[in-house]
Every structure is written in structure tokens, then in C-alpha cells.
Amino acid sequence: MLYKSTRGYEEKVSSASAIVNGIAPDGGLYIPESFPKLDLDKCLKMNYQELASYVLKMYLTDYSDAEVNCAVYKAYDEKFVDEVVPVKYLEGRSVLELYHGRTLAFKDMALSILPHLMKKASKKLGVEDEIVILTATSGDTGKAALEGFCDVDGTKIVVFYPSEGISEIQKHQMVSQKGDNTYVFGIKGNFDDAQSAVKSIFLDDALKADLKEKGYQFSSANSINIGRLVPQIVYYVHGYLDHVRKGMLNLGDFMNVVVPTGNFGNILASRYAKEMGLPIDKLICASNENAVLTDFIKSGTYDLDRKFKVTNSPSMDILISSNLERYLAFIGEDVPVLMNKLKNQGSYTISPSGKEKMKDFYASFATERETVLKIKEVYEKEAYLMDTHTAVAQVVYDRYLEDTSDDKPAMIASTASPYKFTRDVLKSISDDLLLDDDFELIHVLAEKTGLEVPEPIKYLAEDLVLHPHVISKVSIKNTVETILR
Ligand SMILES: *Cc1c(COP(=O)(O)O)cnc(C)c1O
């Protein structure tokens, strides 16, 4: 299996090269040249780790079986409490709980394994340099990448987060990060400032040459890396098969999936699973009030001319969904032309045939108010507690049912633990004034719901701050140079 760039100007590369490079030299994203087919009968007997090895081996054909197995078993070990991905069955739909990893968000599903894949790739390619992962984060990616790369030989990880504008819990998770190869800095600026500084470092040839001499090379842990996308296909197959094993579906029956979407990585993985033969009918794309994808899926026009809004589902506050580029290539659009239009005019429209191919997508969005009310409704009716992102998906799924009366079994991807967004979740189900800090509220939520506090944040308040530094946004490059001196 080889990987090509969405922009089409580069030679095809092996999966190891695609993973180490992160992004193609022409600025495009790596995509598989074909989609292997699943043998679902065979999959039915596999546990999560076996299934992950089976799917990964089809895509990472330049890795040996032993290398893939080793990465899988190191990634999905006892870090995941109980099952790796439990499926919960509610009235008329199920919830695929993707948040049982170390950082309580679905980013762990891919970032637990990416470091192992990257380390093996660099060995395979004879890269002798130490790999330096630079990450700008608005909250979830930073911590998941830190946990994943912590103490992985031959790597360093540097994370920049906005010192104001992330939740207290998200911030403390990062500044208390252990490990000899981890570096975390708050910056006086927002996520975009961090992101553009990091991007400019990636493009700084003089700096790269200088660091090469010192034995370093940069890479990315963002979802532009194909090594993050492939492991996400696995849990859709796992979720479907769980329905079959529990008698909710017969093998071959179709289901719908509902995905709270930001960068379009998670929902794209479900589309790839469908292409591999997983019986998925509709893909329901749920957005918050930054509903650029809802408008795109409905109209075929992607238009950036709108105001960015900070919402109570912050991990989906995004206007440029980078993985959509992969989907545009998938439906045969002329990606370089569309990306140029986006850059120069702030919008693009896909072809009528591309629009036709998008018919298996449904899209809508939830307001903050609808999200809060949905958390309360589901909790009161079914004693099931959703985080804000999952509740966005539930709002949109309910709208889909009203619009279509399609009552096929549906599986909702749940992307974060309610404890990761304790304040907003608690506000939804309680009339009390929430005067305590977020660490206290963790215990208030536990008391109120009886839901056990997840191990990784149980003693979070007691963890020492190991990374106290907050720097100005203009000194990001300088900071990287100092670390790597
Ligand atoms: C990252 C994230 C999302 C969005 O996922 P994409 O793959 O970017 O679409 C949704 N919910 C949570 C909690 C996240 O951390």
C-alpha cells in the first residue's frame, strides 16, 4: 500500500515515510491509494487489539506483523480502564465511548499508538535524528500527544497552549505532565497564534538545517498525520461488531453513525471504514455553532466568511477543517484548485458530481442552549451523562430522526468524558451556583451523579506544576532553539 498527496504533485511513498513526514512536501495530506476490504466474519472473533492489528496491517504494509502487533499492544494496554472502547445501548441508539484512555478524550485512540508507529518508521527509514514533535493545541490534542510521546526513546515533544482560554482541568493536565522528553509552554496569545508560530517553524529552512546538524528533525502529531487516521477506522468496525455480537444487528445489516465533528478526522475514518465494506448507511455530521461543515454538506459551498465563536464544545470550535481535503480527493474533486480558491477567495464550491457523491452525509448543528438542554434531558430520562460534544451529536441525531424517520440503528461517537468538561456538564444538570474551582466540581459531579471519577484526574489537583512557563508569542521559535541547543 502506497500513499499519495491530495495535491497530486508528489511521488507515492510508503506508510513509514508518510508517518514520519506528517505532511506531503507539496503541502497536501497523504491518502491511501486504495481501500482494502474487511472480512467481517473473521473480525467477529477478534478482541480490540487483534482487530486493530488486522486493520493496521492492511494499511501499513511496509511494517512487519511483529512491528504492528508490538505497537498495538503497547498502545491499547491497561492505560485503558476496563474495555478499550465500550459500547453503551440506549433507547434506539448506542454510544461508542471513545474516551477511556489517559486523557479522557478520543484523541487518545490515535495518539496512544502514533508514537510507537513513528519510532518504528524512523528506524525503518534509517532516520538517525531525534524526532521533535511540535504541537499547538487548544486543549485536547496537547495532553493526548504528551501522554503518547512521554518517555518514548528518540523523541521529544513540545506543546504550546494559549495560557488563557482553556479550561482549568485541561491546563493542569498539561502543566503537570511528567517525562524527561516533554516540554510545555503557555503562550500569551490564542490558539491561532500558537498554530501559526509552529507552522512557520515547520517552514523555516534555516532553522531546520541548523537542527539537522545537531541531530534533530521535526514532525507533527496533528490529525494531518495519516498515522492518526488509520487507528480511528478500527473503533467503527469494533462498534459495529459489538452490535452483531449482542444481537442488535445481523451481520450485513446497515447502521448509521453520528459524529461530533471539528477537523473532519473522526467522521472521515468512518467513511473509510464504509469504503472497506463496513455496512454503514448514513454518516451524520454534527457541528456546533461554528457550522461551516453543515453549510458545506448542504450546499456544496465551503465559505469561511463567518464569525468564529467560542462555545461550550470548544474542541469543535474550528473553521478550517483540515481533513476535509482528504474527503475532497476521495470524491474526485480537483483539490489544488479548491484549496487555492479557499486561500485566495475564502470559499469554494465542489462539482455537481462531487455533491452527488456526498449523498450519504447528513449534516446539522446544535446551539449551546440546545446542547445544555440535551445533556439534561438524556440524563433525566435515561440516567446517561454525556459531555458537551457528545450532546451536540445527540441534538443533531434527534433532528435527523424528525427529518427522515429513518430508524435504522444508529451509533453515536462519544468523544470526551463528561469529567473533561465538568463545569458545563454540571451546569446543565444542576440549578446550583457553581462557585468552586473546577477541581472541586469534579467531586461535586461525582456526588451528584454517582459516576466514578476517572482515575487519571482523580488526584489531578495534587499533581505538581512541572511546566510553569508562560512566554510571549514572539519567543516561540527562540524557545524551541533553546530546548534543542
Ligand atoms: C478533537 C475533538 C472533536 C473533533 O474531532 P475531529 O476529528 O477533529 O472532527 C470532537 N470532540 C472532542 C472532545 C475532541 O477532542
Side-chain angles (χ1 to χ4, degrees):
M1 169 80 69
L2 292 174
Y3 292 79
K4 56 187 181 185
S5 166
T6 47
R7 310 261 168 122
Y9 298 125
E10 303 286 340
E11 289 197 6
K12 293 175 183 173
V13 300
S14 68
S15 69
S17 296
I19 287 170
V20 168
N21 293 349
I23 190 162
D26 62 7
L29 307 187
Y30 287 112
I31 45 175
E33 58 178 354
S34 64
F35 293 91
K37 293 285 178 247
L38 294 163
D39 180 344
L40 289 174
D41 265 320
K42 206 164 129 189
C43 293
L44 209 46
K45 296 176 199 76
M46 297 177 183
N47 65 24
Y48 197 89
Q49 289 81 356
E50 289 163 344
L51 184 66
S53 295
Y54 170 73
V55 172
L56 262 61
K57 279 172 195 166
M58 291 197 263
Y59 284 96
L60 312 180
T61 49
D62 50 326
Y63 286 66
S64 71
D65 285 3
E67 284 171 329
V68 171
N69 291 342
C70 173
V72 163
Y73 283 91
K74 278 188 175 155
Y76 306 117
D77 61 4
E78 68 281 357
K79 286 194 291 296
F80 287 80
V81 189
D82 304 328
E83 279 173 86
V84 182
V85 179
V87 186
K88 301 285 164 69
Y89 293 88
L90 303 177
E91 193 62 47
R93 79 272 187 222
S94 63
V95 184
L96 184 70
E97 292 186 350
L98 300 171
Y99 57 76
H100 293 275
R102 293 300 299 174
T103 78
L104 313 183
F106 93 101
K107 305 286 196 291
D108 289 324
M109 296 310 302
L111 282 166
S112 300
I113 193 164
L114 180 68
H116 302 293
L117 297 177
M118 198 175 281
K119 203 176 125 187
K120 288 180 169 47
S122 72
K123 199 186 243 171
K124 215 181 262 307
L125 299 170
V127 176
E128 302 209 328
D129 300 332
E130 191 164 10
I131 296 185
V132 180
I133 310 293
L134 291 185
T135 314
T137 183
S138 59
D140 289 339
T141 295
K143 179 62 182 180
L146 283 165
E147 277 293 329
F149 281 95
C150 171
D151 288 334
V152 173
D153 297 343
T155 71
K156 285 190 187 344
I157 166 133
V158 192
V159 169
F160 298 100
Y161 68 90
S163 65
E164 308 295 325
I166 66 171
S167 86
E168 213 172 334
I169 291 172
Q170 286 176 311
K171 185 190 284 191
H172 204 73
Q173 278 186 314
M174 287 193 275
V175 296
S176 62
Q177 177 66 45
K178 300 193 176 72
D180 291 337
N181 66 337
T182 61
Y183 304 84
V184 183
F185 299 91
I187 63 152
K188 292 180 203 131
N190 60 27
F191 168 64
D192 284 329
D193 297 323
Q195 170 101 318
S196 58
V198 165
K199 272 198 184 147
S200 71
I201 293 176
F202 277 122
L203 300 175
D204 189 332
D205 288 332
L207 176 62
K208 279 197 291 195
D210 183 33
L211 291 179
K212 182 101 194 135
E213 215 145 90
K214 298 195 172 88
Y216 295 114
Q217 139 173 10
F218 291 126
S219 189
S220 160
N222 287 347
S223 64
I224 52 175
N225 196 314
I226 190 73
R228 270 188 62 178
L229 206 52
V230 174
Q232 292 183 234
I233 296 171
V234 178
Y235 49 72
Y236 287 102
V237 184
H238 162 79
Y240 179 86
L241 294 173
D242 194 82
H243 282 69
V244 176
R245 288 187 202 110
K246 303 224 164 97
M248 315 299 284
L249 285 174
N250 294 317
L251 199 65
D253 288 352
F254 278 80
M255 69 158 34
N256 296 326
V257 295
V258 192
V259 187
T261 299
N263 232 344
F264 210 75
N266 201 2
I267 196 164
L268 182 66
S270 73
R271 183 64 189 83
Y272 282 1
K274 175 174 178 170
E275 199 63 14
M276 295 174 75
L278 192 69
I280 293 174
D281 185 14
K282 284 285 191 291
L283 301 103
I284 299 168
C285 176
S287 299
N288 65 24
E289 286 166 76
N290 296 294
V292 62
L293 284 170
T294 303
D295 295 343
F296 170 69
I297 289 168
K298 286 187 171 161
S299 70
T301 297
Y302 197 94
D303 189 353
L304 285 178
D305 186 17
R306 61 187 74 224
K307 235 179 119 110
F308 179 86
K309 186 170 176 193
V310 176
T311 73
N312 56 10
S313 48
S315 305
M316 288 153 60
D317 290 343
I318 186 160
L319 291 181
I320 302 182
S321 288
S322 47
N323 276 292
L324 190 61
E325 177 167 345
R326 287 194 166 106
Y327 183 68
L328 295 174
F330 183 82
I331 57 174
E333 291 296 296
D334 190 339
V335 174
V337 168
L338 298 184
M339 290 301 115
N340 258 329
K341 281 192 180 154
L342 189 65
K343 194 166 149 212
N344 299 325
Q345 299 155 26
S347 75
Y348 62 78
T349 301
I350 60 170
S351 68
S353 72
K355 179 100 186 2
E356 185 64 22
K357 290 188 189 126
M358 219 161 51
K359 267 199 337 218
D360 55 354
F361 277 81
Y362 171 94
S364 188
F365 71 96
T367 64
E368 289 192 277
R369 176 99 190 118
E370 287 172 323
T371 305
V372 161
L373 290 175
K374 191 56 75 182
I375 293 173
K376 183 179 166 72
E377 179 192 318
V378 172
Y379 181 67
E380 286 177 356
K381 273 198 198 148
E382 301 177 272
Y384 186 81
L385 193 61
M386 290 178 165
D387 95 291
T388 47
H389 303 76
T390 311
V392 164
Q394 182 68 58
V395 169
V396 169
Y397 178 57
D398 289 344
R399 189 160 301 136
Y400 174 76
L401 283 180
E402 271 169 37
D403 279 0
T404 64
S405 341
D406 172 10
D407 61 356
K408 224 177 264 101
M411 183 166 77
I412 296 175
S414 177
T415 49
S417 159
Y419 278 105
K420 193 140 195 186
F421 301 92
T422 302
R423 182 173 296 274
D424 280 305
V425 169
L426 200 51
K427 248 196 271 176
S428 309
I429 60 167
S430 154
D431 298 324
D432 302 338
L433 275 177
L434 306 178
L435 300 174
D436 298 319
D437 69 25
D438 287 18
F439 300 116
E440 282 305 315
L441 292 184
I442 289 175
H443 302 287
V444 177
L445 186 63
E447 211 153 279
K448 186 163 175 67
T449 61
L451 201 68
E452 204 183 323
V453 179
E455 199 57 39
I457 59 163
K458 221 175 232 169
Y459 308 106
L460 185 63
E462 293 160 30
D463 285 348
L464 295 178
V465 173
L466 302 173
H467 306 273
H469 307 291
V470 176
I471 60 173
S472 87
K473 60 186 177 193
V474 294
S475 50
I476 290 180
K477 177 176 163 187
N478 206 339
T479 302
V480 172
E481 285 172 319
T482 309
I483 293 170
L484 302 179
R485 189 168 288 147

